[in-house]
Amino acid sequence: MWDRLLVDCHLATMDPAVGTPFGTIENGAVGIQEGRIVRVGRRTELAGYQARRVEPLGGAWVTPGLVDCHTHVVFGGNRAGEFEQRLEGATYEEIARAGGGIASTVRATREASLDALVDASRPRLEALMRGGATTIEIKSGYGLDIDSELKMLRAARALGLNAPVRIAPTLLALHALPPEFRGRREEYVRLAIDSILPAAAEQGLASAVDAFCETIGFTPEEVRHFFDAATELGLGIKLHAEQLSNLEGAALAARYGALSADHLEHVDEAGIRAMAAAGMVAVLLPGAFYALKETKRPPVDLLRRHGVPMAVATDCNPGTSPVLSPTLMMSMACTLFGLTPEEAVAGMTRNAARALGLQEEIGTISPGKAADLCVWRIDRPAELAYWVGLPGPERRIFAGLDS
């Protein structure tokens, strides 16, 4: 006997094998046992099965739980004051010279205790959860020394311990050059490779690594050394690539069989071909595009042409994407980048799961996967991207339990 049977609902399974737009099964049903999906189909097909709880959903739509595959949720302080300064005419460079920018976030993050960092980050995590996220990737990258980077990863882990959410922790040690290493780039890169990276791996604090490969970040050569060390430690590879310029970071990440390359406004066709050959995911971040008032869009048509799966994420961070709404990002992916609603929903479910290496566990409503689901009071799944700022699902189910 199953634990739960959801009926009187329509399913947007996001499973391509179903063969319909959004993987739709109308008048569907989902059987759940011990936190996992055991059967999916039309209600008539599951009529002979028994469950301890049979729950009619009143014609609602059910989707996989949303997956936010690129965030910086853990950080100290905030930069709302800098937002006001920029609107009053101050440039990013002027703010940075005055001690603002990423340096201010690094300072606040270093000064915060582990408990304070968890407490400050929890409301952001909970906002993403209310928006439908059941899996959230959290990067480090605002500590930039061994103690603070590990503290950020411990905070990410602590956030998921007693909350109905799956946390995917990522070490972003090559995010920016710490102020104390100005003029000593090579020393910091060695610190990241020789100290921060092995400590995070040995303590099981990260499942993947990331780096910011950019003219204002780290060079491809520096990133390559970091990725060599991460690969030896068995960690997954992700990369901030081609956001502001084309340093061929996407192709570099492809050589390491990376999970994803993220941003990609300036990626060229050669980089996209490399991503396709490596089976990578392109993670699109419309929140940062919007907040930075960018005009060059990611080459979505080229990504489609070469069959590169596109994920969508909030990029929640204090400086360039203060975004707390997964549904808003699906809408903006359509209006700003030209995705279809089906591509946007796939971008926050199936393809986002793949960008985290979790495609066998989550991302579609399929037998054997975790019963992470969202119940939406809508008439068709395209509404998830149609409404600007849709608050979130009516119900959120994590590992088979209401949350």
Side-chain angles (χ1 to χ4, degrees), residues 285-291 297 312 321 323 325-339 344 384-389:
L285 305 170
F289 178 90
Y290 169 82
R297 308 190 316 171
V312 177
S321 189
V323 173
S325 171
T327 54
L328 177 60
M329 292 302 94
M330 289 191 283
S331 178
M332 290 175 70
C334 295
T335 57
L336 298 180
F337 291 167
L339 270 64
L384 299 180
Y386 163 72
W387 293 110
V388 179

Side-chain angles (χ1 to χ4, degrees), residues 197 209 225-237:
L197 176 58
V209 301
H225 291 308
F226 185 62
F227 283 177
D228 283 341
T231 300
E232 289 183 9
L233 293 168
L235 297 174
I237 301 293

Side-chain angles (χ1 to χ4, degrees), residues 79-92 94-95 293:
R79 281 148 64 184
E82 294 177 19
F83 174 68
E84 292 179 294
Q85 288 177 280
R86 289 199 303 272
L87 292 175
E88 291 167 358
T91 67
Y92 185 86
E94 289 170 341
I95 292 170
K293 300 181 181 179

Side-chain angles (χ1 to χ4, degrees), residues 50-352:
Q50 294 184 328
R52 293 179 181 86
R53 292 170 59 190
V54 178
E55 301 172 66
L57 298 182
W61 279 85
V62 182
T63 69
L66 302 185
V67 179
D68 196 350
C69 66
H70 181 131
T71 87
H72 307 254
V73 163
V74 171
F75 57 85
N78 72 62
R79 281 148 64 184
E82 294 177 19
F83 174 68
E84 292 179 294
Q85 288 177 280
R86 289 199 303 272
L87 292 175
E88 291 167 358
T91 67
Y92 185 86
E93 290 76 13
E94 289 170 341
I95 292 170
R97 281 199 299 271
I102 192 172
S104 67
T105 301
V106 170
R107 186 166 55 250
T109 302
R110 287 178 173 180
E111 291 172 354
S113 68
L114 174 61
D115 288 344
L117 204 53
V118 171
D119 289 343
S121 303
R122 184 174 285 112
R124 296 186 283 269
L125 181 81
E126 291 175 346
L128 295 175
M129 291 165 60
R130 285 193 300 272
T134 53
T135 296
I136 299 172
E137 187 250 22
I138 300 179
K139 302 179 190 293
S140 67
Y142 291 121
L144 305 181
D145 62 37
I146 185 166
D147 291 337
S148 301
E149 284 292 294
L150 298 184
K151 177 177 65 177
M152 290 187 70
L153 293 171
R154 290 191 184 100
R157 182 169 63 180
L159 285 167
L161 285 179
N162 297 307
V165 65
R166 183 178 289 98
I167 300 298
T170 298
L171 174 67
L172 178 57
L174 294 191
H175 190 198
L177 189 68
E180 67 270 22
F181 280 89
R182 189 170 291 115
R184 299 187 293 136
R185 293 179 59 87
E186 185 177 347
E187 287 183 49
Y188 178 70
V189 174
R190 291 311 325 165
L191 175 71
I193 293 171
D194 295 341
S195 299
I196 302 175
L197 176 58
E202 288 166 9
Q203 296 177 40
L205 294 175
S207 56
V209 301
D210 197 347
F212 184 34
C213 186
E214 190 50 77
T215 53
I216 61 172
F218 293 88
T219 68
E221 184 70 5
E222 290 165 338
V223 171
R224 184 177 65 79
H225 291 308
F226 185 62
F227 283 177
D228 283 341
T231 300
E232 289 183 9
L233 293 168
L235 297 174
I237 301 293
K238 299 171 70 67
L239 185 65
H240 286 59
E242 273 76 89
Q243 180 183 10
L244 305 173
S245 63
N246 185 3
L247 295 186
E248 301 182 353
L252 170 65
R255 290 198 288 275
Y256 289 86
L259 293 165
S260 72
D262 304 26
H263 286 290
L264 296 174
E265 282 86 341
H266 291 263
V267 71
D268 59 16
E269 189 164 9
I272 291 173
R273 284 199 188 102
M275 291 178 64
M280 290 171 59
V281 176
V283 179
L284 308 183
L285 305 170
F289 178 90
Y290 169 82
L292 291 171
K293 300 181 181 179
E294 295 288 352
T295 57
K296 186 173 178 60
R297 308 190 316 171
V300 166
D301 286 340
L302 276 177
L303 292 166
R304 286 188 187 119
R305 188 182 311 162
H306 291 282
V308 176
M310 292 179 285
V312 177
T314 64
D315 192 17
C316 172
N317 75 71
T320 61
S321 189
V323 173
L324 296 172
S325 171
T327 54
L328 177 60
M329 292 302 94
M330 289 191 283
S331 178
M332 290 175 70
C334 295
T335 57
L336 298 180
F337 291 167
L339 270 64
T340 67
E342 184 174 5
E343 287 174 328
V345 178
M348 270 220 159
T349 54
R350 179 179 73 236
N351 293 339

Side-chain angles (χ1 to χ4, degrees), residues 2 24 27 58 113 117 120 130 166 176 178 198 234 241 263 287 341 354 397 401 403:
W2 297 339
T24 294
N27 194 18
S113 68
L117 204 53
R130 285 193 300 272
R166 183 178 289 98
H263 286 290
R354 183 171 170 180
I397 297 171
L401 300 175
S403 61

